[in-house]
């Protein structure tokens, strides 16, 4: 969920409004909290495009759908968000213009108009000629 636990939040009146903590995605190069320009979610994971075109993803990660090179979930334990949550790597000097989050897989449109997808390759959802998890 991005708040360092797996609790249901919002099922009690005392958990909303000023009592609902913001998701910590770290700080930008100026030392201010990142501004999110776009966010998408599906089932059990979420990805956000940050003001500098970087992307951070959190939630369940059974098929490497967070794009971080492992199968570890993020945001369900303390110390996993903020500066500890790495931005995804889409290539040297590449930034993300658009993002779509699917059922375990995700795709981005980069600043150079290339499309890159990752996650489970079954049913060829990632657009590659094999069904590898990327």
């Amino acid at each position: 969920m991005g708040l360092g636990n797996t609790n249901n939040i919002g099922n009690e009146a005392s958990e909303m409004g000023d009592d609902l903590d913001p998701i910590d995605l770290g700080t930008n190069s100026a030392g201010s909290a990142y501004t999110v320009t776009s966010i998408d979610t599906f089932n059990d994971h979420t990805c956000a495009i940050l003001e500098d075109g970087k992307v951070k993803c959190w939630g369940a990660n059974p098929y490497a759908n967070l794009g971080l090179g492992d199968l570890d979930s993020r945001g369900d334990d303390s110390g996993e968000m903020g500066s500890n949550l790495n931005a995804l790597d889409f290539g040297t000097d590449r930034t993300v213009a658009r993002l779509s989050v699917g059922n375990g897989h995700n795709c981005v449109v980069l600043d150079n108009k290339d499309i890159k997808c990752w996650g489970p390759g079954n049913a060829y959802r990632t657009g590659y000629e094999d069904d590898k998890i990327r």
Side-chain angles (χ1 to χ4, degrees):
M1 181 168 329
L3 295 174
N5 61 60
T6 58
N7 301 339
N8 291 332
I9 297 177
N11 57 327
E12 296 181 26
S14 64
E15 297 175 338
M16 297 302 292
D18 291 336
D19 296 319
L20 182 61
D21 291 328
I23 304 295
D24 180 8
L25 294 177
T27 55
N28 60 24
S29 58
S32 300
Y34 266 120
T35 299
V36 173
T37 61
S38 180
I39 191 167
D40 200 7
T41 189
F42 191 95
N43 272 350
D44 52 8
H45 74 288
T46 302
C47 297
I49 302 176
L50 307 176
E51 63 198 51
D52 56 5
K54 293 179 182 176
V55 169
K56 289 191 175 189
C57 297
W58 63 96
N61 193 30
Y63 304 107
N65 45 293
L66 300 184
L68 296 168
D70 59 40
L71 301 177
D72 298 336
S73 295
R74 303 294 196 294
D76 56 340
D77 288 321
S78 63
E80 294 180 334
M81 298 298 290
S83 298
N84 294 326
L85 182 63
N86 292 327
L88 279 60
D89 180 8
F90 295 109
T92 305
D93 297 325
R94 293 280 62 97
T95 59
V96 174
R98 294 187 64 197
L99 163 75
S100 181
V101 173
N103 186 15
H105 64 287
N106 312 293
C107 295
V108 294
V109 177
L110 300 177
D111 57 317
N112 65 356
K113 308 298 185 228
D114 282 351
I115 297 172
K116 293 193 176 184
C117 299
W118 68 98
N122 59 325
Y124 305 97
R125 291 186 268 191
T126 54
Y128 300 100
E129 294 181 5
D130 58 37
D131 60 357
K132 256 177 60 172
I133 293 175
R134 292 190 159 39

